Amino acid sequence: MSYEHLLVAVDLTEECDPVIKRAMALAAPSNAKVSLVHIVEPMAMAFGGDVPMDLSQLQQQQFDQAKERMDRLFNKYPDIHRGDSHLTYGQPRQEIHQLAKEQNCDLIVVGSHGRHGLALLLGSTANDVLHGAPCDVLAVRLLKKE
C-alpha cells in the first residue's frame, strides 16, 4: 500500500530526524507529499489555564523560536516544501487530527519513546494521536541516548 500525503509531527529537536527520515523513505517510492507539523501548546494549558500573569510575550518568543527551528529543518530537508508544512498554536492531538483531515493526509508519522522529545511536545499525545485519527498512524520508535 502506498501513501499519497504524509503528515509528520515534529518536536523541532534533533530527535525528529529519524521520524522525518522514515517518512521520506516511505514517501519516496510513490513520490508522496510530506508535510511537517509542529504544534506550540498555549502556555496557559501547561499551567492549568489559570495564570496570574500575561504570557503573551513569552508565548510569542516560543513561537518565534519554533519558526526558526522549522526553517532549519527546511534547509536540512530541501525536498519538504514550506508551503506544505504547518506551525500553529493549540492542543496537539486536535490540531494534528484536524490538519490531517483538511489536507487529506493518509498517514500521520510521530516519534515515540515515552520519556522526552516528542513526548514533551505531545505529552501522551503520541498515543492520543492514534485514537480518533482520520488515517493510519505510524509511531517511529526513538532510541534513548545513553
Side-chain angles (χ1 to χ4, degrees), residues 118-133:
L118 270 181
L120 274 179
L121 161 73
L122 301 174
S124 61
T125 310
N127 185 39
D128 287 350
V129 167
L130 180 62
H131 302 289

Side-chain angles (χ1 to χ4, degrees), residues 11-25:
D11 68 350
L12 302 178
T13 69
E14 292 169 10
E15 290 187 337
C16 68
D17 284 333
V19 180
I20 295 170
K21 288 176 182 173
R22 178 71 60 90
M24 294 184 75

Side-chain angles (χ1 to χ4, degrees), residues 45-58:
M45 286 175 67
F47 292 109
D50 190 20
V51 183
M53 64 182 113
D54 181 14
L55 296 175
S56 58
Q57 190 172 4
L58 284 173

Side-chain angles (χ1 to χ4, degrees), residues 48-115:
D50 190 20
V51 183
M53 64 182 113
D54 181 14
L55 296 175
S56 58
Q57 190 172 4
L58 284 173
Q59 188 78 60
Q60 186 60 49
Q61 287 175 350
Q62 186 182 23
F63 195 82
D64 292 343
Q65 287 173 351
K67 189 175 181 320
E68 287 174 24
R69 289 185 186 134
M70 194 82 131
D71 286 342
R72 281 188 231 133
L73 282 180
F74 293 127
N75 291 333
K76 192 173 190 176
Y77 299 99
D79 292 340
I80 299 174
H81 302 284
R82 291 175 192 265
D84 296 333
S85 299
H86 310 274
L87 176 61
T88 187
Y89 287 111
Q91 197 278 333
R93 176 185 140 177
Q94 291 174 348
E95 296 296 327
I96 292 168
H97 285 180
Q98 181 179 340
L99 197 54
K101 283 180 198 168
E102 288 173 3
Q103 300 292 315
N104 295 317
C105 298
D106 45 12
L107 180 66
I108 298 169
V109 184
V110 296
S112 177
H113 50 44
R115 297 219 172 207

